[in-house]
Amino acid sequence: MSGTFWLTARRLQALVRLPAFLFIMLIQPAIWLFLFGNLFRRVVELPGFGTGSYLDYLVPGVIVMSAVSSSMWSGMGVLEEIDRGTMNRFLITPVSRGAILNAAVIEQAISTAVQSLIIALLGMAAGASFPGVLLIVASVLLGTVFSAFSNTVGMLVRQRETIIGLNTLLLLPLTFLSSAFIAKSLMPGWMQAIAAGNPVNWALQAGRESPDLVAGGGLLALAAAMVWLSTRTFRTYQNAV
């Protein structure tokens, strides 16, 4: 725990020195809120949509989509530390091996929480009602899933192009095969079936006004499994050095 704390503090110091990065990560969600909020605002008139304000419905979707988008780049930081030799320097220190990657996941989780809160505040400023703290927790868990997954891929393939390709490949399909932008009851049957096993949809179910504890539990279990997998992958890397 001590090693994880100090390594997380080290990564957060680097993040604080680059505040423009967080600002850039918020531009795209703001565009989504503005464009989607205006383009699809009358979709709530469809029978069975279940809400009177599309902006209220959209804010959780944008928060969850942003959590996936930002977290999938976590592996790039791991690759950078490998290329600079920083990772190998950590291996000759007494710090716990699990703490090295756990710090990357925690730093990403804190970044996701701040990002999600700011998006929620932007939505509230535009007139949306905030679904609650559970939405922030769900977005952090979802970010943990994908940051740990990205770290795992980075340790295994050690190629930036693979991480970029995975982000491009997974982000939009996972988002649109969920209830991020449209009510699940209005989706085709085959899309509803896929959404039932989609962790992005689990985060939405766990974080909206009527939280789904089963979806939240599944998301928590998946996050724990992915963190464990990334730690095991790091041990494989350590043995290969």
Side-chain angles (χ1 to χ4, degrees), residues 7 27 34 62 66 95 104 120 128 157 172 185 188 195 201 225 229 233 236-237:
L7 289 176
I27 293 177
F34 176 75
V62 172
S66 301
V95 68
V157 301
L172 290 182
S185 60
N201 201 60
L229 179 61
T233 304
T236 302
Y237 165 78

Side-chain angles (χ1 to χ4, degrees), residues 72-86 150 153-169:
M72 279 293 290
W73 297 109
S74 180
M76 299 290 274
V78 173
L79 286 178
E80 184 177 351
E81 293 203 331
I82 292 176
D83 292 342
R84 290 188 306 182
T86 307
S150 181
V153 173
M155 297 294 296
L156 289 176
V157 301
R158 303 182 199 175
Q159 293 181 345
R160 290 176 173 80
E161 295 79 6
T162 303
I163 295 176
I164 294 171
L166 280 174
N167 197 339
T168 304
L169 176 67

Side-chain angles (χ1 to χ4, degrees), residues 44-130:
V44 295
E45 299 174 10
L46 293 173
F49 195 89
T51 182
S53 170
Y54 186 66
L55 190 61
D56 289 353
Y57 189 87
L58 178 63
V59 170
V62 172
I63 287 176
V64 167
M65 186 177 183
S66 301
V68 175
S69 177
S70 60
S71 299
M72 279 293 290
W73 297 109
S74 180
M76 299 290 274
V78 173
L79 286 178
E80 184 177 351
E81 293 203 331
I82 292 176
D83 292 342
R84 290 188 306 182
T86 307
M87 192 70 73
N88 290 346
R89 294 191 187 101
F90 283 139
L91 293 178
I92 63 174
T93 67
V95 68
S96 168
R97 302 308 181 234
I100 297 175
L101 281 190
N102 288 343
V105 172
I106 294 174
E107 180 264 335
Q108 185 60 55
I110 294 173
S111 175
T112 299
V114 173
Q115 181 187 52
S116 300
L117 182 58
I118 293 175
I119 295 172
L121 292 175
L122 288 175
M124 292 173 65
S129 60
F130 182 51

Side-chain angles (χ1 to χ4, degrees), residues 170-181:
L170 295 178
L171 177 60
L172 290 182
L174 286 175
T175 302
F176 286 104
L177 290 171
S178 73
S179 58
F181 302 125

